[in-house]
Amino acid sequence: MDTAVFQKLSQVVGPGDWLPEPSRPLPMVPQQDLRRPPQLTQGPQESMKVLLLKDAKEDDCSQDPYVKELGLHGLEATLIPVLSFEFLCLPSLSEKLSHPEDFGGLIFTSPRAVEAVKLSLEQSNKAQAWEKSLREKWNARPVYVVGNATASLEESVPLPLLFPCGTLKREVLPQMLKDKGLPLESITVYETIPHPGIQGNLNSYYCKQGIPASITFFSPSGVKYSLEHIQELSGDSMEQIKFAAIGPTTARALAAQGLHVSCTAESPTPQALAAGMRKALQQPDTC
């Protein structure tokens, strides 16, 4: 989790509204936007190719927002998913969601946890109960999500906050709440695993596209599961690749592997990443 501050939502919406469609393995397809400013180029009419190690997320225009924004900066981005997820303990989560009176609110630090809530209600046939009564009861309780606002977990919470999380959760949040005297009940609802297509998709990319000008990592897990394949495919060309990170935690994971991080996005947004990458690709050794 690269962002460590939380934003309080004024109202809880249904689990189907908390998250877009569940992620799924997606083909490795370059996407471009036709509206482009003057481009960074490798050749006379060739866009600079960059690799994003993430799932595709479509916006209103059916295009991944990172691919779209980088295209506006003259960068041809290709997406390769490197992570998959397995859901755990969904019956237990459903049971806890059935008793909102036992909790002071909810905390989400990843979209996968929100997806687990949705799946737990669907698989336990409690979607109707949610619509009839549970949703209204949870609406009366605060929900905290990862965001860009100042932390708002300052108020007194007499009941524990329910925290659906993954196996790789960091202890920053639990410790912060403990220091503030706020009770927390964690439940592990998903596990992060390597995407089964990592090696094949990377092999295909390098075979067809060659060495990318830049590679962006979106999580420490992505570094763990894909870096070895990238090193093998890049060989002596590793030094010419500009490595980028979506945030400081991922940047530290790259640095721990001995890699120079040319760009760390100032915020986990397409605009911040595009601005940082453009600067890094124009100037040597830009941080």
Side-chain angles (χ1 to χ4, degrees), residues 53 202-203 206 211 215 217 223-239 241 243 253-254 256-259:
L53 301 180
L202 284 172
N203 287 344
Y206 272 76
I211 305 296
I215 299 177
F217 292 83
V223 176
K224 176 181 177 181
Y225 295 140
S226 63
L227 182 57
E228 182 178 349
H229 301 306
I230 289 170
Q231 290 172 324
E232 291 176 357
L233 291 167
S234 301
D236 294 338
S237 298
M238 277 288 288
E239 294 184 1
I241 300 173
F243 291 98
L254 286 167
Q257 297 298 319
L259 296 178

Side-chain angles (χ1 to χ4, degrees), residues 61-76:
C61 299
S62 298
Q63 187 177 36
D64 181 89
Y66 283 90
V67 171
K68 180 179 180 179
E69 185 67 27
L70 290 171
L72 294 173
H73 287 259
L75 302 173
E76 181 183 333

Side-chain angles (χ1 to χ4, degrees), residues 7-249:
Q7 178 180 16
K8 181 177 177 181
L9 298 183
S10 60
Q11 186 178 28
V12 181
V13 294
D17 298 322
W18 288 339
L19 187 73
E21 288 297 317
S23 64
R24 56 191 182 280
L26 294 164
M28 183 190 65
V29 180
Q31 302 182 48
Q32 299 183 27
D33 194 286
L34 296 178
R35 300 169 301 153
R36 291 183 175 179
Q39 299 179 358
L40 293 167
T41 59
Q42 290 175 309
Q45 295 180 342
E46 183 181 2
S47 297
M48 188 169 285
K49 294 178 172 61
V50 297
L51 183 56
L52 308 181
L53 301 180
K54 67 180 289 293
D55 282 345
K57 304 293 183 186
E58 294 183 354
D59 61 12
D60 293 338
C61 299
S62 298
Q63 187 177 36
D64 181 89
Y66 283 90
V67 171
K68 180 179 180 179
E69 185 67 27
L70 290 171
L72 294 173
H73 287 259
L75 302 173
E76 181 183 333
T78 298
L79 306 176
I80 295 182
V82 294
L83 303 179
S84 290
F85 303 90
E86 291 183 352
F87 292 98
L88 313 168
C89 305
L90 295 185
S92 297
L93 175 60
S94 175
E95 182 63 24
K96 293 180 185 299
L97 291 170
S98 298
H99 297 281
E101 67 276 5
D102 293 339
F103 300 97
L106 275 163
I107 295 181
F108 292 112
T109 59
S110 77
R112 226 58 56 193
V114 182
E115 189 175 349
V117 168
K118 177 181 177 180
L119 289 174
S120 72
L121 292 170
E122 291 175 349
Q123 294 181 9
S124 62
N125 297 318
K126 291 182 178 178
Q128 187 174 359
W130 176 267
E131 292 297 333
K132 288 185 64 175
S133 62
L134 292 177
R135 176 173 179 163
E136 182 178 355
K137 292 177 181 178
W138 279 108
N139 272 341
R141 289 160 172 76
V143 170
Y144 300 91
V145 297
V146 173
N148 295 321
T150 304
S152 58
L153 287 168
E154 299 287 352
E155 61 190 75
S156 175
V157 181
L159 296 173
L161 296 165
L162 181 59
F163 179 30
C165 58
T167 54
L168 300 180
K169 81 174 191 317
R170 300 169 64 210
E171 293 302 318
V172 174
L173 174 62
Q175 187 60 51
M176 182 186 76
L177 295 178
K178 181 179 179 180
D179 293 343
K180 293 182 177 182
L182 299 175
L184 182 71
E185 182 170 334
S186 301
I187 177 171
T188 302
V189 295
Y190 69 92
E191 177 182 13
T192 304
I193 60 175
H195 190 283
I198 291 179
Q199 188 168 4
N201 286 337
L202 284 172
N203 287 344
S204 177
Y205 177 89
Y206 272 76
C207 180
K208 296 176 181 178
Q209 305 285 350
I211 305 296
S214 175
I215 299 177
T216 300
F217 292 83
F218 286 76
S219 70
S221 297
V223 176
K224 176 181 177 181
Y225 295 140
S226 63
L227 182 57
E228 182 178 349
H229 301 306
I230 289 170
Q231 290 172 324
E232 291 176 357
L233 291 167
S234 301
D236 294 338
S237 298
M238 277 288 288
E239 294 184 1
Q240 77 184 48
I241 300 173
K242 297 295 182 79
F243 291 98
I246 196 60
T249 303

